Amino acid sequence: MTLDKIRNFCIIAHIDHGKSTLADKLLLETHTIEAREMSNNQVLDDMALEQERGITIKLHAIQMKYLGLDGSDYIYNLIDTPGHVDFTYEVSRSLTACEGALLVVDASQGVEAQTIANLFLAIDAGLEIIPVLNKVDLQSAMIDEVSQQIIELIGCKKEDIILASAKSGIGITDILEAVRLRVPPPQGDITAPLRCLIFDSVFDSYRGSIVYMRVFDGTIKEGDEILFMATKQKYRVEEVGTLRMGREKKTQLLAGDVGYLIAGVKDVKDTRVGDTVTHFRGGAPEAISGFKLAKPMVFAGLYPQSAEDFAMLRDSLDKLALNDSSLIYEPESSVALGFGFRCGFLGLLHMEIIQERLDREFNQNIVTTVPNVEYRVMTTKGDTVIVDNPSSMPEPGRIEYVQEPYIKAQIIVPTEYVGAIMKLANDRRGIYKTVTYIDTTRADIHYEFPLSEIIFDFYDKLKSISRGYASLDYEFLEYRESDLVKLDILLNGDPVDAFSTVVHRDKAFEWGKKLCSKLRELIPRQMFEIAIQAAIGAKIIARETISAMRKDVTAKCYGGDISRKRKLLEKQKEGKKRMKQVGRIEVPQEAFMAVLQISD
């Protein structure tokens, strides 16, 4: 197939705007899959978690054969990308592998924050944008209003917008023809040195890491010696092919093709997203630009509920990491929770997905500590210490200043909720930037936030305040100096490392008071008094007391001198004092879970 008959494109859409349903209809229309073969309504979202949440978590690519209205055969390579902010880097690499993008907007909901964010990524990558107004058959569809939003967003004409309904099959042929006519064919030189861009990889127990890639220049075939340019790893190609509903083996892949590569790679970390594949001898002089290592933004401790399950949790994380190179973890221990792992995640959704998969796929019951971000601490000696675990924060006397990561956030919300959203943003130390009105009913608000303020429950509160209508997108900005302190929780004077958090000094008292109050409800009473204290260094800022259970030691005294009763009470007091010194306080598992549910 010549280059002018190939079209590489992707679909950009906000969560629940019909991206996966549209992809299914394109597969049916091109007979890539028949209706009887569809076991579920979202063929490409094959993970149970994806279907339940209605989101794309794992990237997919598929090839379709299309007979155009001009009578010629075409090959369409659809790269179905994740839509959530946590996976922005993966999306950017997928967009680089394409020449065009379908911008799908829900006619009943309008343009959302994530749509705009991914659209700008597509424009930066130089893609041809084809606007598609989906769900036009709904009674609540606002075709004229949303069309105007799209026109103002990308500067197209009204006749350029394709009216469609993926569920009903309206406009599917128009979309396929628009891809043929408006998406430019790939450019590439078959005789040039090999350059392939990795946009995804999956792990197969028998074949190793399988690379999904787009060939930009050159030819790759079985037996070639190849080099992964970022990791400097050398391998021999065992198999290449294209991606339809399964893998289809081919003799070679040429410039412009999208396909897979198997080379017996034992570790998925050798096949990093964004890396360039070239020939070991006579390869490309430089890699395709844009590669960077996936950097975790959110950190949390994962511990087994039972200490005996530590080895099983380690095996489960090892297996999970085979298909997710962005998951980073290392062993750690806690006085309160025992042995576990410190894990780094791309964001809060990524963390939730890992927890869900550990539970469903590996039957792991885990306890998660409070999520936190990575801080940079400058010590009085002039050293920089990277802190991703609050318990490793240096003593206050050794700290010169602390820097925390800031993000740039975009919130799109109905105008009646603007005031409430701004109040929430100000409570979370947000720095107001701009507010613009997309139309008479929706506002686009820009803020800068400390990342630590939004990873906890900001998204849930945003949705709650706006009754589900607000949408959020954010990107990393920079590290900034902040007045941060480490807040410790002490039980009878002993710090419990699992409860340690890093908070802003202005919020430390409020947070410490809430935490002490919550623990007072959850920790069972003992035979001795328990003091729950919140402390910054040596300074106690909040306290709650769990009173001792009292055994009536004077019950056996039927009269007699009062000194006898006093003697028994003094003896009991001495016993309780000794017990307090040697007694161990059992902190129930629900106490650690409750910390995650403390609200503002």
Side-chain angles (χ1 to χ4, degrees), residues 201-253:
S201 61
V202 295
F203 192 81
D204 185 285
S205 303
Y206 302 101
R207 308 298 302 272
S209 185
I210 300 171
V211 174
Y212 293 171
M213 62 185 188
R214 153 78 193 273
V215 184
F216 277 87
D217 291 309
T219 306
I220 185 169
K221 59 185 183 297
E222 187 180 322
D224 285 356
E225 281 193 336
I226 55 166
L227 176 73
F228 294 104
M229 296 183 79
T231 55
K232 307 297 182 192
Q233 297 293 319
K234 172 192 164 190
Y235 290 97
R236 186 178 294 277
V237 177
E238 293 176 4
E239 185 182 315
V240 293
T242 54
L243 296 154
R244 290 177 69 80
M245 284 312 293
R247 295 192 294 269
E248 283 193 2
K249 186 176 178 180
K250 300 286 182 185
T251 54
Q252 61 182 9
L253 292 177

Side-chain angles (χ1 to χ4, degrees), residues 221-490:
K221 59 185 183 297
E222 187 180 322
D224 285 356
E225 281 193 336
I226 55 166
L227 176 73
F228 294 104
M229 296 183 79
T231 55
K232 307 297 182 192
Q233 297 293 319
K234 172 192 164 190
Y235 290 97
R236 186 178 294 277
V237 177
E238 293 176 4
E239 185 182 315
V240 293
T242 54
L243 296 154
R244 290 177 69 80
M245 284 312 293
R247 295 192 294 269
E248 283 193 2
K249 186 176 178 180
K250 300 286 182 185
T251 54
Q252 61 182 9
L253 292 177
L254 309 173
D257 284 337
V258 173
Y260 70 91
L261 155 72
I262 299 174
V265 182
K266 297 292 184 287
D267 190 348
V268 77
K269 288 184 171 56
D270 288 344
T271 56
R272 295 190 179 275
V273 172
D275 195 0
T276 304
V277 180
T278 190
H279 283 128
F280 182 68
R281 292 182 179 83
E286 57 184 41
I288 297 164
S289 62
F291 171 75
K292 61 181 181 182
L293 292 172
K295 182 172 171 54
M297 298 297 286
V298 177
F299 297 84
L302 298 186
Y303 293 85
Q305 283 196 0
S306 174
E308 297 86 55
D309 294 338
F310 173 74
M312 287 172 61
L313 178 60
R314 182 180 56 213
D315 292 344
S316 302
L317 284 168
D318 287 344
K319 289 174 184 172
L320 209 52
L322 291 174
N323 278 308
D324 188 351
S325 60
S326 54
L327 172 63
I328 294 168
Y329 60 98
E330 58 182 32
E332 73 168 2
S333 62
S334 160
V335 176
L337 295 170
F339 291 102
F341 293 91
R342 192 79 192 160
C343 300
F345 308 97
L346 297 174
L348 217 56
L349 177 73
H350 187 213
M351 176 176 147
E352 284 180 34
I353 290 163
I354 295 298
Q355 287 175 290
E356 285 271 356
R357 292 186 69 186
L358 284 171
D359 179 27
R360 293 180 183 211
E361 298 174 27
F362 302 100
N363 296 317
Q364 290 294 309
N365 295 317
I366 55 174
V367 176
T368 309
T369 61
V370 181
N372 62 276
V373 299
E374 190 174 81
Y375 300 97
R376 290 179 180 171
V377 181
M378 182 63 74
T379 65
T380 50
K381 291 182 178 179
D383 301 324
T384 301
V385 180
I386 304 297
V387 175
D388 61 22
N389 187 347
S391 60
S392 58
M393 180 74 88
E395 293 299 316
R398 291 177 50 215
I399 296 174
E400 186 70 35
Y401 61 85
V402 182
Q403 289 182 325
E404 64 176 334
Y406 268 71
I407 55 101
K408 186 165 60 178
Q410 177 188 31
I411 303 166
I412 293 181
V413 65
T415 49
E416 64 262 36
Y417 302 115
V418 168
I421 296 296
M422 283 185 160
K423 183 181 182 305
L424 173 66
N426 292 334
D427 290 344
R428 297 302 180 91
R429 299 194 282 135
I431 301 167
Y432 170 76
K433 287 297 171 185
T434 59
V435 59
T436 53
Y437 289 87
I438 299 170
D439 53 33
T440 55
T441 60
R442 294 175 359 124
D444 182 2
I445 309 170
H446 288 256
Y447 266 88
E448 289 175 2
F449 288 102
L451 180 59
S452 58
E453 293 286 349
I454 69 160
I455 63 166
F456 201 43
D457 59 352
F458 181 81
Y459 189 70
D460 292 342
K461 289 208 177 314
L462 187 74
K463 286 290 184 184
S464 177
I465 289 170
S466 65
R467 297 185 185 177
Y469 287 109
S471 61
L472 168 74
D473 181 71
Y474 64 85
E475 61 180 87
F476 175 72
L477 198 58
E478 62 185 355
Y479 274 83
R480 293 182 188 170
E481 190 176 328
S482 296
D483 188 10
L484 300 170
V485 292
K486 177 189 171 189
L487 181 69
D488 284 315
I489 297 297
L490 314 177

Side-chain angles (χ1 to χ4, degrees), residues 94-211:
S94 306
L95 296 175
T96 307
C98 303
E99 281 77 35
L102 298 177
L103 174 66
V104 179
V105 179
D106 189 327
S108 63
Q109 294 184 49
V111 174
E112 303 277 14
Q114 194 61 50
T115 316
I116 295 172
N118 285 348
L119 172 66
F120 287 157
L121 286 175
I123 292 170
D124 289 345
L127 271 58
E128 178 66 33
I129 309 296
I130 301 173
V132 177
L133 195 58
N134 195 23
K135 305 185 186 181
V136 294
D137 56 338
L138 294 180
Q139 286 187 345
S140 56
M142 304 175 291
I143 295 173
D144 292 336
E145 295 94 318
V146 179
S147 294
Q148 191 58 39
Q149 289 176 18
I150 295 171
I151 290 166
E152 289 175 8
L153 186 64
I154 62 174
C156 66
K157 297 173 184 173
K158 190 167 184 178
E159 53 267 28
D160 292 338
I161 301 171
I162 300 170
L163 303 183
S165 171
K167 206 161 201 173
S168 307
I170 299 168
I172 302 301
T173 304
D174 295 339
I175 292 170
L176 288 167
E177 276 299 299
V179 170
R180 178 177 73 84
L181 296 169
R182 287 151 70 173
V183 174
Q187 302 295 312
D189 184 355
I190 297 172
T191 60
L194 178 68
R195 288 196 313 152
C196 306
L197 175 72
I198 300 175
F199 59 80
D200 195 19
S201 61
V202 295
F203 192 81
D204 185 285
S205 303
Y206 302 101
R207 308 298 302 272
S209 185
I210 300 171
V211 174

